[in-house]
Amino acid sequence: MYRLTLMGEDLPEDFFLIAAHRERFLRARKKYERRGWVVEAIEDHGEVEEVFCPVVEGTHSFVLEDNILTGNCHGCGAGGDAIKFLMDAEHLSFVESLERLASRAGLQLRYETDNSAPAGPRPPSGQRQRLLAAHVDAADFYREQLGTPGARKAREFLAQRGFGRDAAERYGCGFAPDSWDALAKHLRQKGYTAEELNSAGLTKPARSGSLIDRFRRRLLWPIKDLGGEVIGFGARKLFDDDDGPKYLNTPESPLYKKSHVLYGVDQAKREIAKRGRAVIVEGYTDVMACHEAGEPTAVATCGTAFGIDHIGVLRRLLMDSDSFTGEIIYTFDGDAAGQKAALRAFEEDQRFVGRTFIAVSPDNMDPCELRLARGDLAVRDMIAGREPLVDFALRHTIARFDLDTVEGRVDAMRKAAPLVAKIKDREKRPEYARKLAADLGMDLEPVQRAVNAAARGADASPAAARKAAESPQRLVERESVKLALQEPVMAGPMFDTVGPENYADPVYQAIRVAIEAAGGASSASTGGVVWIEKVRDLCDDLGAKASIPELAIEPLRVDGVVDPRYVQVTMARLQVGSVTTRIRDLKSKIQRINPVVHKDEYFALAGDLVSLEQQARALRDQAVGGL
């Protein structure tokens, strides 16, 4: 081995040590001699293991001499002992690092306390190493079987999905042969006991008392933990006469806990930590496809939904904390099942401090299918085109309702408001409430109240009803029908031109319909009891009928004598509110239309919007004055 001792103004005070092969040593020596940094160059330094900085990849930062970590990192300034280095480089916990080093040194650990270990019982160190070794031997056996004539179907399966021999070797793919006990016999010859093999989930007892293999006639992927140890297998059905499930995984064992395992995390962990993001896919071939396409941060769950323990694994890699924002990108099919999975993921999303996104594959293709159909770039583009998960959840929640009706908008608001209330970043909630209001075509105030109520876990309906009754638009509607009932001669010509569709409150709308049925306010030669009773008799809504006597005597909201100017302002304000509501509805509808796919409809609605906005401006000019 070789060592350079360096000293320079731009270097730390401590020596910067490099251990490398001869060619690399000579290149480094020449490079640093030009800078005048080389203090000592020794070509035969004994046993020195080359170590790379876990933070700044590719930097020769410090060396291991006699298993003691010495020197400071030139890239990040880190230092420490061998356990600390393994924790940083491999993203392991203290206990996991200690177990790894003990295994390499042939030492057996004794657990007196286990507070730092991952959840769940851990097997004794000696047993754990035996089970891990059995998995390594099983992975080697399955990998060799992939090249046999009987594994032709497995090789064809991989080839049809765009994976050749090199890819199969990179991901350790294997094949379980058409035999009931080929693996069992192979491992028993290596000295493993039946108890060990059954405990590991590699075999299971037959009725005869002998051992049979857990997997048979299937394509296999080795499943590794964060430290790169094989702890189980995932097996895919290949033959039609196989009556088992499509995917079969190793059962729960002292090593394999499916709620803690992410396939591909051993290969993706460095890139996840480096790029600050993780891509969650649904299957083994999807992980392979993403990695092959240039997205090496992809991982997948193994036969279970993405859950709390998986989140804990990723938080360790992303350093997800109150001061760090990494990215979690879920990929789901665009079909109903994929949308349901995405909405379920939103519930778990709140356990991350980092930002969470969703990337939906076009035409309901998974990443593997997308890569086959459109190439590597399409996979990267799909991930690059991600959208915030909360946006996706809101869009697909309100899409289930008819937003062209009042009932549909209110129901959509009640369903979507709790989603906004769950957003972990409180500062984003007002902006998403504003966005939700725009998408629904509603005023911000009731949407914000619904969000606040959902955040408190309360029902906003009673309060919303009281607020709605006091809103400016409802007051204008009330004032207009009071004018028609109390001053029909003066108000009639202007009142009758504004139809019932301008009234949002069902009570006032019913009274407006009754006035129209009575011949309109202009038909009343005088006001008084006769006119009031005529309108009341023609009103079909019981609640509205009961309100008419009250409205007939309630003072108008004007100081002094009522004049035509006051009537004009009132009716203009009534129409401003109605037109504004129609503008919001139209904008909401335009936002939900794809202008590329539905070009004609989009431009037709845009033209209607321009006309409505011009009408609103004219009405506002007429409404100068006030109630």
Side-chain angles (χ1 to χ4, degrees):
M1 299 297 291
Y2 312 92
R3 187 181 76 172
L4 281 176
T5 304
L6 309 177
M7 178 63 75
E9 293 181 359
D10 298 328
L11 294 175
E13 292 182 4
D14 292 338
F15 290 149
F16 175 46
L17 305 175
I18 293 182
H21 297 291
R22 179 174 173 77
E23 292 182 2
R24 190 175 296 173
F25 164 77
L26 293 175
R27 287 199 304 270
R29 178 179 178 178
K30 183 177 180 181
K31 173 182 177 181
Y32 294 130
E33 280 180 341
R34 287 198 301 266
R35 300 181 183 180
W37 288 357
V38 176
V39 176
E40 183 181 41
I42 303 176
E43 294 199 25
D44 184 10
H45 188 64
E47 293 297 326
V48 180
E49 181 180 346
E50 181 180 7
V51 179
F52 288 86
C53 173
V55 178
V56 184
E57 184 180 357
T59 302
H60 297 79
S61 306
F62 37 72
V63 297
L64 284 171
E65 300 186 52
D66 298 327
N67 292 327
I68 298 175
L69 190 63
T70 61
N72 289 324
C73 173
H74 183 51
C76 67
D81 58 17
I83 298 174
K84 175 74 165 57
F85 170 76
L86 200 57
M87 290 173 64
D88 292 341
E90 298 294 334
H91 302 280
L92 302 177
S93 68
F94 176 83
V95 173
E96 291 167 337
S97 298
L98 205 58
E99 289 176 341
R100 176 79 69 83
L101 293 171
S103 174
R104 292 184 180 181
L107 301 176
Q108 183 171 341
L109 298 177
R110 262 193 261 173
Y111 297 91
E112 295 182 0
T113 59
D114 201 20
N115 297 330
S116 304
R122 301 178 69 87
S125 179
Q127 180 194 4
R128 176 179 173 82
Q129 297 310 319
R130 291 284 294 172
L131 300 185
L132 290 173
H135 275 85
V136 171
D137 289 335
D140 291 341
F141 173 81
Y142 287 138
R143 190 164 50 247
E144 291 175 0
Q145 292 296 316
L146 187 61
T148 63
R152 178 180 176 182
K153 190 82 171 178
R155 295 193 298 271
E156 289 177 350
F157 178 91
L158 291 171
Q160 289 168 0
R161 283 154 181 76
F163 306 117
R165 179 182 298 177
D166 292 342
E169 291 179 356
R170 258 193 308 277
Y171 300 97
C173 297
F175 177 71
D178 186 6
S179 170
W180 291 104
D181 59 358
L183 177 67
K185 289 180 178 178
H186 175 75
L187 295 180
R188 287 301 301 273
Q189 290 174 358
K190 286 183 170 288
Y192 298 102
T193 66
E195 182 181 357
E196 288 172 337
L197 298 182
N198 288 336
S199 178
L202 296 171
T203 63
K204 54 186 177 180
R207 292 180 181 177
S208 63
S210 61
L211 294 182
I212 59 174
D213 296 346
R214 174 73 60 176
F215 307 111
R216 176 171 171 263
R217 303 171 68 210
R218 285 178 174 250
L219 174 64
L220 289 105
W221 287 267
I223 299 172
K224 301 181 180 180
D225 63 11
L226 199 59
E229 303 279 10
V230 180
I231 57 174
F233 294 91
R236 210 276 189 190
K237 181 168 71 173
L238 298 172
F239 299 94
D240 294 337
D241 60 349
D242 185 342
D243 59 358
K246 184 177 180 180
Y247 283 96
L248 182 65
N249 290 339
T250 293
E252 294 282 309
S253 75
L255 298 180
Y256 184 83
K257 308 294 180 186
K258 65 181 180 180
S259 63
H260 293 72
V261 175
L262 288 169
Y263 174 72
V265 72
D266 58 302
Q267 293 182 318
K269 63 184 179 182
R270 295 180 189 274
E271 289 297 325
I272 290 174
K274 178 180 176 182
R275 302 188 184 193
R277 78 180 187 198
V279 177
I280 313 299
V281 298
E282 293 187 315
Y284 304 117
T285 55
D286 293 331
V287 171
M288 295 172 67
C290 287
H291 283 231
E292 295 296 299
E295 184 51 61
T297 64
V299 294
T301 59
C302 300
T304 186
F306 188 81
I308 298 172
D309 294 320
H310 297 124
I311 290 172
V313 174
L314 291 181
R315 291 192 71 160
R316 278 170 58 183
L317 298 177
L318 289 167
M319 296 177 290
D320 188 63
S321 65
D322 292 341
S323 59
F324 183 85
T325 54
E327 286 188 7
I328 300 296
I329 304 173
Y330 296 96
T331 63
F332 295 108
D333 296 345
D335 58 12
Q339 293 176 17
K340 184 177 180 180
L343 294 177
R344 185 172 62 247
F346 176 78
E347 298 295 325
E348 297 295 346
D349 166 50
Q350 307 316 307
R351 299 178 184 275
F352 282 112
V353 175
R355 298 164 294 168
T356 312
F357 299 83
I358 183 169
V360 179
S361 180
D363 301 324
N364 295 341
M365 292 186 289
D366 58 37
C368 184
E369 294 169 337
L370 181 62
R371 178 172 178 258
L372 277 175
R374 304 183 186 179
D376 293 347
L377 182 59
V379 176
R380 297 197 297 271
D381 286 345
M382 176 194 71
I383 295 171
R386 63 197 182 276
E387 69 172 318
L389 183 57
V390 62
D391 289 20
F392 177 89
L394 288 173
R395 179 159 51 84
H396 281 270
T397 296
I398 67 177
R400 293 180 290 170
F401 301 91
D402 182 4
L403 300 185
D404 293 330
T405 66
V406 173
E407 292 79 7
R409 289 193 292 271
V410 172
D411 289 343
M413 178 193 71
R414 289 172 178 167
K415 198 70 175 179
L419 298 181
V420 177
K422 289 180 181 178
I423 297 174
K424 57 186 169 290
D425 190 342
R426 293 177 179 272
E427 294 181 356
K428 292 181 180 179
R429 291 180 189 174
E431 289 302 316
Y432 273 104
R434 189 172 290 108
K435 181 180 185 303
L436 177 59
D439 291 342
L440 294 174
M442 297 179 66
D443 290 331
L444 174 61
E445 186 179 1
V447 174
Q448 187 66 67
R449 283 199 304 271
V451 170
N452 293 339
R456 295 191 304 268
D459 182 5
S461 300
R466 290 193 298 271
K467 290 288 186 180
E470 301 169 0
S471 70
Q473 180 63 18
R474 297 301 185 273
L475 292 175
V476 171
E477 292 178 11
R478 186 179 184 88
E479 193 73 1
S480 70
V481 294
K482 283 162 55 179
L483 283 170
L485 293 173
Q486 297 178 30
E487 302 286 345
V489 176
M490 181 185 300
M494 287 180 278
F495 178 88
D496 292 342
T497 61
V498 182
E501 68 277 2
N502 290 279
Y503 294 80
D505 191 293
V507 170
Y508 304 137
Q509 187 178 67
I511 296 174
R512 175 63 182 84
V513 171
I515 292 171
E516 187 174 6
S522 300
S523 67
S525 56
T526 59
V529 177
V530 175
W531 168 242
I532 301 300
E533 286 300 318
K534 183 178 181 181
V535 174
R536 189 170 182 272
D537 290 342
L538 293 172
C539 186
D540 295 329
D541 185 281
L542 295 179
K545 180 178 289 191
S547 299
I548 289 175
E550 177 187 350
L551 295 171
I553 61 173
E554 181 179 299
L556 294 165
R557 299 168 63 86
V558 61
D559 294 331
V561 181
V562 178
D563 58 12
R565 171 62 181 162
Y566 182 73
V567 177
Q568 178 186 13
V569 169
T570 301
M571 301 314 297
R573 286 199 162 195
L574 175 66
Q575 294 176 85
V576 166
S578 173
V579 172
T580 300
T581 299
R582 290 163 61 193
I583 288 173
R584 282 199 306 269
D585 293 346
L586 197 55
K587 285 182 176 180
S588 174
K589 196 168 186 178
I590 289 173
Q591 288 178 342
R592 302 194 302 272
I593 291 177
N594 188 321
V596 177
V597 179
H598 304 287
K599 182 177 179 181
D600 294 340
E601 182 181 4
Y602 180 84
F603 283 109
L605 292 176
D608 293 342
L609 180 61
V610 171
S611 298
L612 281 176
E613 288 178 335
Q614 290 175 345
Q615 182 182 354
R617 283 195 295 271
L619 288 169
R620 289 191 190 98
D621 291 340
Q622 296 177 28
V624 175
L627 295 179

